[in-house]
Amino acid sequence: MATVEALVAGPITADTVIDQAAPSKRWGRLGLLVPAGLLLIIGFIVPLVIMLWYAFTDPSVGFGNFAWYLGDAVQQRILLRTFTTAVNVTVICLLLGYPYAYAMVAAGPKLRAVLTLLVLVPFWTSLMVRTFAWVILLQDHGPIQSLLATVGLGQIPLIRTNLGVVIGMSQVLLPFFVLPLYAVMTNIDRRLILASSSLGAGPITSFFRIWLPLSLPGVGAGSLIVFISSLGFYVTPALLGSPGNSLISQQIFTQVNGLLQWGRAGTMGVVLIVITLAILAILALVIGRSTSTIKGVR
């Protein structure tokens, strides 16, 4: 009977086998996403929900925590200082990281290996060790102050200042800018530069008309990583800065660990996330319009 039913159903073709195997393959692919999905839920969604819960319910249900935060001039200055510091760190990483990534691409194999090793070494060193090294370098009678005095610049306060925080954070986050930019630069076709030279363009024109626009995706990726990481940085600002120039991460720690104000800490986190998402949305809109304009010109 089974043979008769199979003959009545029609011939078995390759398309039939693929259609029958497609559901199992689809479920198999979805199964591979389960570990990543669980990690996302446990590591991001659940803490975010808890933070939102405390922001609206502790110590009482309502918008009292948001009214306190938005009406406190001190907290507004800290929030502005946090974003200003993040912008400064991003700009410094851009100014230092772009030439470095370009040198990695333009260098020979041996020099490129050395430059890559220098970028990777900080990942093998503890963040605490690197930050304490900056404490020694930036202290009032440290090596940097001695160097400044030698060249005639005098005593410039570095430790326990926002300038010292920016210097330390820039050094820590610089590899996170260089590596994405280097990955993009390695995929740029060098023949485009040779073609522009053959058409009469000089090195500077070729750089600004060809290389720089093609490397902008790497600049954007590295800048976003550095900027977002700077907003939530805690260790380096806590060790190199002072309570007078604290950032929002230090205020959140104080509210939770010192004052046990979980609702206010949650409110700070919510405000920081909302503003960050708004900035990312604006940047995505600007980049999208710029891409559309370039395509229209082409």
Side-chain angles (χ1 to χ4, degrees), residues 232-295:
F233 232 65
Y234 173 75
V235 174
T236 303
L239 294 178
L240 298 181
S242 67
N245 55 21
S246 61
L247 305 182
I248 192 170
S249 58
Q250 297 163 261
Q251 288 298 309
I252 293 175
F253 177 82
T254 301
Q255 293 293 332
V256 172
N257 192 61
L259 303 177
L260 300 179
Q261 295 287 346
W262 293 84
R264 292 184 174 182
T267 301
M268 293 179 182
V270 171
V271 172
L272 182 61
I273 290 177
V274 170
I275 296 178
T276 303
L277 291 178
I279 293 175
L280 293 179
I282 295 173
L283 290 176
L285 182 62
V286 172
I287 293 174
R289 288 186 175 180
S290 301
T291 305
S292 301
T293 303
I294 294 174
K295 291 181 178 179

Side-chain angles (χ1 to χ4, degrees), residues 42-293:
I42 297 174
F44 181 76
I45 302 298
V46 172
L48 182 61
V49 171
I50 294 174
M51 181 181 65
L52 288 171
W53 174 262
Y54 278 120
F56 288 100
T57 61
D58 186 26
S60 60
V61 179
F63 296 91
N65 291 321
F66 291 92
W68 162 79
Y69 187 76
L70 298 177
D72 193 327
V74 175
Q75 300 300 329
Q76 294 175 8
R77 287 197 299 270
I78 293 174
L79 183 63
L80 179 61
R81 185 187 303 125
T82 300
F83 278 89
T84 303
T85 302
V87 171
N88 292 334
V89 172
T90 304
V91 171
I92 292 176
C93 289
L94 173 61
L95 295 177
L96 297 178
Y98 195 97
Y100 192 93
Y102 185 82
M104 291 175 63
V105 176
K110 294 183 179 180
L111 181 57
R112 183 183 301 117
V114 174
L115 295 176
T116 304
L117 180 63
L118 293 177
V119 174
L120 297 177
V121 164
F123 291 106
W124 305 335
T125 309
S126 171
L127 176 62
M128 294 291 294
V129 173
R130 283 181 283 165
T131 304
F132 275 113
W134 277 111
V135 172
I136 297 173
L137 292 173
L138 298 177
Q139 61 184 338
D140 294 334
H141 301 286
I144 295 181
Q145 292 291 355
S146 300
L147 178 62
L148 293 176
T150 302
V151 298
L153 296 178
Q155 191 82 5
I156 299 177
L158 295 176
I159 196 70
R160 299 179 298 276
T161 64
N162 190 254
L163 176 59
V165 171
V166 170
I167 293 174
M169 290 176 61
S170 299
Q171 187 272 331
V172 172
L173 294 175
L174 184 59
F176 294 95
F177 183 91
V178 172
L179 293 178
L181 181 58
Y182 171 72
V184 172
M185 285 185 174
T186 53
N187 293 323
I188 298 177
D189 193 348
R190 301 286 190 86
R191 292 174 297 181
L192 297 174
I193 305 297
L194 297 177
S196 65
S197 300
S198 65
L199 294 174
I204 297 179
T205 303
S206 298
F207 176 81
F208 282 103
R209 297 293 297 273
I210 298 176
W211 187 271
L212 181 60
L214 292 177
S215 64
L216 286 181
V219 173
S223 299
L224 285 178
I225 294 174
V226 172
F227 180 76
I228 295 176
S229 301
S230 300
L231 293 177
F233 232 65
Y234 173 75
V235 174
T236 303
L239 294 178
L240 298 181
S242 67
N245 55 21
S246 61
L247 305 182
I248 192 170
S249 58
Q250 297 163 261
Q251 288 298 309
I252 293 175
F253 177 82
T254 301
Q255 293 293 332
V256 172
N257 192 61
L259 303 177
L260 300 179
Q261 295 287 346
W262 293 84
R264 292 184 174 182
T267 301
M268 293 179 182
V270 171
V271 172
L272 182 61
I273 290 177
V274 170
I275 296 178
T276 303
L277 291 178
I279 293 175
L280 293 179
I282 295 173
L283 290 176
L285 182 62
V286 172
I287 293 174
R289 288 186 175 180
S290 301
T291 305
S292 301
T293 303

